[in-house]
Amino acid sequence: MSRIAYVNGRYVPHRDGYVHIEDRGYQFADGCYEVVAISGDTFVDAGLHLKRLRRSLDALKIAFPMTDAALTVVMRELARRNMIREGFVYLQITRGVAPRDFAFPAKVKPSLVMTARTKTLIDPRLLSDGIKVITIPDIRWGRPDIKSVALLPNALGKEQAKQAGAVEAWQFDRDGNVTEGTSSNAWIVTKACEVVTRKANTDILNGVTRLGLLHVIAEAGLRFVERPFSVAEAKSAPEALQTSSTNFVLSVVRIDDTPIGDGKPGPVGQKLAKLYADYAASGAQDRT
Ligand code: PDD
């Protein structure tokens, strides 16, 4: 079966999915995106993704190209055409095509592209073994809360992690506090069994999985705190976790050269991974 993409109003074979060389996304990274997990018939927390997309577009002053309802129809149709049962849809909106000029063009139509891909969101090996992360300085711009396609620092960090045999790089700010992973949010579990993650202000992306997990934690009657934590605190925590739409909840068992806890996924992480997986599959997360 050949893959299908959606490009500016048309469903096209994936290999023919092109945008113009003067698209501002290509020249200025002038656009934003979302990655929405597909679990069976469910787009996991689609409402929260569309809300965040609107927020990113508003921050960049890019017009929303279609209603949420229309966007959802395209997402469903793309998942259907690509026969995705488990995976994700990627959607990207840029300011559009215009002669290269830094200031915004007067009249421009946003470009909207979508792709969909099959992917194992709950990887049994990653779940049972946990993952290794490295730590790197956060060198990104001042608004990582906007889900912008300007991801070069993130790509550099991920490559550095890969070279070090790790799955992710956790970034830290000037105070030595962890901001987030290059494509995930970072968490620790304290000795007092509190689940800790950084407050979502302009320093991090407010992950949709992060929000879903906070909901799951509250429902399960566990305690959580939104506060900064340092790399040193993370290394001495009994458990560490990360969340993202593409891997849900994973236990972090090594940070740089330091094993976390006994170097295996801990009980809180395993429980949360299971509870979140149930939540994602339930189709019950119609929260906006
Ligand atoms: N990235 N922080 C960053 C910098 C991210 O890029 C992501 C997700 C997250 C987690 O957000 P969410 O739970 O909404 O997926 C946090 C996606 C998966 C990506 O770029 O592929």
Side-chain angles (χ1 to χ4, degrees), residues 131-137 157 160-161 164-172 176 178 230-236 240 252-260 263:
I131 60 161
K132 176 181 169 184
V133 306
I134 59 165
T135 58
I136 57 170
Q160 203 179 322
V167 167
E168 177 62 299
W170 279 13
Q171 302 160 104
F172 57 84
V178 175
S230 66
V231 170
E233 184 182 2
K235 286 183 178 175
S236 63
V252 171
V253 295
R254 184 173 279 266
I255 302 177
D256 297 325
D257 286 329
T258 309
I260 304 306

Side-chain angles (χ1 to χ4, degrees), residues 4 9 18 32 62 68 90 112 153 162 178 194 230 250 278:
I4 303 294
Y18 295 114
C32 50
I62 296 176
D68 282 6
Y90 171 83
L112 166 60
K162 189 176 159 193
V178 175
E194 275 174 337
S230 66
L250 289 177
D278 292 346

Side-chain angles (χ1 to χ4, degrees), residues 53-285:
L53 179 62
R54 191 174 289 276
R55 182 181 179 278
S56 297
L57 289 168
D58 282 350
L60 301 181
K61 296 188 167 55
I62 296 176
F64 208 77
M66 52 170 88
T67 62
D68 282 6
L71 217 47
T72 306
V73 168
V74 179
M75 285 162 62
R76 288 220 166 277
E77 181 58 15
L78 200 65
R80 191 190 69 75
R81 289 191 188 217
N82 288 284
M83 295 196 279
I84 313 285
R85 298 301 301 160
E86 184 181 0
F88 60 86
V89 59
Y90 171 83
L91 57 107
Q92 175 176 317
I93 298 170
T94 65
R95 196 175 306 279
V97 178
R100 187 175 182 277
D101 184 2
F102 282 75
F104 299 166
K107 278 199 191 122
V108 68
K109 194 167 163 276
S111 303
L112 166 60
V113 307
M114 272 193 224
T115 55
R117 202 158 97 191
T118 293
K119 181 185 181 292
T120 305
L121 301 171
I122 303 170
D123 185 321
R125 198 181 55 80
L126 292 182
L127 268 188
S128 63
D129 295 358
I131 60 161
K132 176 181 169 184
V133 306
I134 59 165
T135 58
I136 57 170
D138 195 334
I139 58 165
R140 298 173 302 164
W141 71 320
R143 291 298 305 275
D145 59 310
I146 300 170
K147 200 161 173 59
S148 136
V149 293
L151 290 171
L152 185 56
N154 309 53
L156 292 173
K158 190 77 90 184
E159 177 60 22
Q160 203 179 322
K162 189 176 159 193
Q163 295 302 329
V167 167
E168 177 62 299
W170 279 13
Q171 302 160 104
F172 57 84
D173 63 19
R174 288 196 192 139
D175 299 323
N177 289 323
V178 175
T179 51
E180 59 184 331
T182 63
S183 63
S184 58
N185 288 115
W187 306 67
I188 55 169
V189 181
T190 65
K191 292 192 179 70
C193 221
E194 275 174 337
V195 188
V196 180
T197 195
R198 194 176 170 122
K199 201 172 159 56
N201 49 23
T202 51
D203 297 336
I204 64 163
L205 184 77
N206 193 0
V208 166
T209 322
R210 174 188 180 279
L211 290 168
L213 189 61
L214 286 174
H215 175 77
V216 163
I217 291 169
E219 290 277 292
L222 293 166
R223 283 182 298 155
F224 68 84
V225 189
E226 291 179 285
R227 65 160 171 85
F229 58 86
S230 66
V231 170
E233 184 182 2
K235 286 183 178 175
S236 63
E239 292 188 48
L241 316 170
Q242 66 174 43
T243 53
S244 72
S245 294
T246 41
N247 281 304
F248 291 173
V249 180
L250 289 177
S251 289
V252 171
V253 295
R254 184 173 279 266
I255 302 177
D256 297 325
D257 286 329
T258 309
I260 304 306
D262 60 4
K264 297 195 191 86
V268 179
Q270 283 177 318
K271 178 173 178 168
L272 292 180
K274 167 85 177 69
L275 288 176
Y276 186 83
D278 292 346
Y279 165 82
S282 71
Q285 359 67 21

